[in-house]
Amino acid sequence: MINVNKNDEPLDLSYLREMSDDNAEFIIEMIDLFKVQTPVYLSELESAVADKNWPLVSTCAHKMKPTFAYVGREDAKLHMQMIEHNARELINVDDLPKACTEVVEFVQVLYKQLDLAKADLEKRL
């Protein structure tokens, strides 16, 4: 379960700051890339869940996992890891549609957080 209480907390962009030597342009590029890729990944995930294609669900969740770590959301990364594992091992597959819905709802909050972070970074340019 994604920690919804954390949704109002600021993002932890320390990973991106560290790997880019706090380069605002690079971090903005990564935020933009996340916002372009994630809807595609989510669409694939939702479709695979609807089709009960558990191997594809596992693959989609695996692809998405690191992107959440990049933007400082370890809780979402762990949520995707759980989806990946359960789909691969066919554990609690009846719970996967709800888990997928939680990710979709969470990402809407995350997009708002990323927009605010990007606006702050753009002030530094």
Side-chain angles (χ1 to χ4, degrees):
M1 166 88 51
I2 296 174
N3 182 358
V4 291
N5 294 327
K6 189 178 176 194
N7 285 348
D8 293 331
E9 292 182 19
L11 289 177
D12 176 6
L13 296 178
S14 58
Y15 176 80
L16 289 176
R17 290 186 194 287
E18 190 175 310
M19 77 179 278
S20 71
D21 199 25
D22 203 19
N23 181 317
E25 279 185 46
F26 175 82
I27 296 169
I28 289 169
E29 283 180 38
M30 292 296 103
I31 289 171
D32 289 343
L33 185 60
F34 180 91
K35 289 187 70 182
V36 167
Q37 287 181 331
T38 307
V40 175
Y41 291 161
L42 284 176
S43 178
E44 289 175 7
L45 178 65
E46 287 178 298
S47 180
V49 168
D51 293 342
K52 298 184 181 203
N53 183 340
W54 306 128
L56 185 56
V57 169
S58 179
T59 299
C60 290
H62 180 79
K63 273 196 293 191
M64 292 180 70
K65 249 186 344 192
T67 63
F68 289 113
Y70 297 153
V71 294
R73 291 307 300 251
E74 188 68 20
D75 55 340
K77 177 187 164 220
L78 292 173
H79 190 76
M80 297 310 299
Q81 190 170 318
M82 176 274 298
I83 292 172
E84 174 189 9
H85 177 265
N86 288 5
R88 183 180 60 241
E89 303 297 327
L90 302 177
I91 300 168
N92 299 324
V93 291
D94 292 340
D95 295 338
L96 292 177
K98 181 178 184 281
C100 179
T101 300
E102 290 171 353
V103 171
V104 171
E105 292 171 358
F106 163 74
V107 165
Q108 299 312 308
V109 173
L110 182 56
Y111 286 159
K112 291 176 187 161
Q113 290 180 317
L114 290 169
D115 288 343
L116 291 173
K118 182 179 171 181
D120 284 344
L121 289 162
E122 286 172 338
K123 290 176 191 171
R124 293 175 32 196
L125 297 178

